[in-house]
Amino acid sequence: MSDHRLRAHAYTADVDTRGASLRTFAHDGRPLVLPYPNGAPRPSYRGATLAPWTNLLCGDGYRTAETVVRFGDDRERLHGLVADADFALARRTPSRIDLVTEVTPSDDYPWRLAVTVRYRLHVGGLTQTVTATNTGDGRAPWGCGGHPYVVAGPSPLEEWTLRLPAAQVLLVDPDLVPQRLLDVAHDSGRFDFRRGRPIGDTLLDHAFTGLETPDARIPTVQVRDPSGCGVEIEMSEACGWVQLYTSDDEPGDDRRRALAVEPMTCAPDAFRNAEHAHDTGIVLLPPGASASATWTIRAIGE
């Protein structure tokens, strides 16, 4: 496990090779994500890269068109297989780093993938690109995402204004198992942030989809502090879902200090697509094929 510093255009970022995790990110010294100390264990999944699935895999297994996978135990399968991998350095410049790892066949995932994570600083912020190539046999189910805990500014999270251009929310049971996909108007006071409003005492740990793109713009989530500064995350077309988590279960002083905004190519429990009434967004990669997703985090209101 090692740490790499990137610098460009008043931005700095530290990338931890464990899980290709974004450990720090700042603009002109203002933190844009909740950091953790260099060399310390990463708290939870803070800043981690999520692949080949995001969020939970539920039940006792899953099936694709060609393969049935049965789990041998009932442990929680959360955020994929690379979040704790020690990625190798493939390329580095002052403003860019490429990290690589391999997903090898296992009982949970009997396919082989080459995974590359690229972080690039530029005048428009920090762009993360995750690419997978199926280097094995059979069509491999694939999804990916990021897990940054963004910090809008110095005020409490309750005072931050959230703008989320999502028309649908995935309701879950107390164990976070997906239940129903509903219009955010079903409970607009909790889930509808399309026009932007303060987070207040809302508790969120939900996936959203139906990302609206007026005027053909790229879907963007914005979080602003009352002082006017903030953070936005712009997602590529591959990211049809975004998870929001108000960090209510974080320990000690970290509770509600940041808003996890997680761009995702697929829904929670995506591999069990046939079990759900909604399309989970899962991709089946043929042998030799690749898939990529990109998101950019930047400062706003500077």
Side-chain angles (χ1 to χ4, degrees):
M1 182 172 65
S2 58
D3 205 66
H4 298 276
R5 167 61 63 98
L6 305 178
R7 295 179 184 272
H9 303 286
Y11 284 105
T12 60
D14 290 294
V15 178
D16 186 349
T17 56
R18 181 197 173 196
S21 302
L22 182 61
R23 189 178 66 79
T24 77
F25 181 43
H27 183 261
D28 272 337
R30 177 171 72 87
L32 304 180
V33 301
L34 190 63
Y36 61 93
N38 187 16
R42 185 193 62 213
S44 187
Y45 288 88
R46 193 179 303 175
T49 298
L50 317 177
W53 67 84
T54 65
N55 214 281
L56 285 172
L57 276 186
C58 306
D60 60 0
Y62 58 92
R63 67 174 63 237
T64 69
E66 301 115 351
T67 306
V68 176
V69 176
R70 294 295 180 199
F71 298 146
D73 56 61
D74 59 358
R75 65 184 172 83
E76 187 177 70
R77 287 163 170 83
L78 183 62
H79 288 326
L81 299 171
V82 306
D84 289 321
D86 193 12
F87 280 67
L89 178 64
R91 177 180 177 182
R92 183 184 176 188
T93 71
S95 60
R96 169 182 160 181
I97 187 171
D98 293 2
L99 300 170
V100 295
T101 193
E102 184 180 44
V103 174
T104 57
S106 65
D107 291 341
D108 289 350
Y109 190 84
W111 295 275
R112 186 179 300 274
L113 302 173
V115 179
T116 300
V117 177
R118 173 177 297 167
Y119 286 95
R120 183 174 66 89
L121 278 178
H122 48 93
V123 68
L126 175 67
T127 296
Q128 181 177 359
T129 302
V130 181
T131 302
T133 301
N134 183 350
T135 56
D137 300 321
R139 293 192 298 168
W142 165 257
C144 69
H147 209 296
Y149 281 58
V150 303
V151 176
S155 299
L157 177 145
E158 288 78 9
E159 298 178 14
W160 298 349
T161 295
L162 167 65
R163 184 184 178 277
L164 171 67
Q168 295 173 297
V169 60
L170 186 61
L171 299 188
V172 296
D173 69 13
D175 295 320
L176 301 182
V177 176
Q179 300 296 302
R180 293 180 296 161
L181 186 66
L182 295 177
D183 193 288
V184 293
H186 168 78
D187 189 350
S188 59
R190 185 177 185 188
F191 297 123
D192 192 351
F193 289 90
R194 287 175 290 184
R195 295 181 181 272
R197 59 184 175 85
I199 296 171
D201 60 1
T202 302
L203 277 63
L204 293 173
D205 196 359
H206 294 78
F208 293 80
T209 191
L211 301 178
E212 301 168 339
T213 55
D215 303 322
R217 292 185 300 168
I218 297 172
T220 301
V221 180
Q222 291 186 343
V223 189
R224 286 186 182 270
D225 186 82
S227 66
C229 64
V231 182
E232 69 177 18
I233 298 184
E234 178 183 281
M235 298 169 287
S236 69
E237 185 178 351
C239 298
W241 294 78
V242 59
Q243 180 90 9
L244 293 188
Y245 167 51
T246 45
S247 59
D248 295 276
D249 294 327
E250 297 301 298
D253 293 340
D254 285 344
R255 182 181 182 276
R256 292 181 75 85
R257 284 187 60 202
L259 178 70
V261 180
E262 306 164 36
M264 304 187 302
T265 65
C266 59
D269 203 29
F271 286 8
R272 299 200 310 146
N273 190 56
E275 307 296 323
H276 299 292
H278 57 276
D279 182 2
T280 65
I282 200 63
V283 171
L284 293 176
L285 281 180
S290 299
S292 294
T294 298
W295 47 91
T296 297
I297 313 175
R298 63 174 61 93
I300 55 175
E302 298 291 280

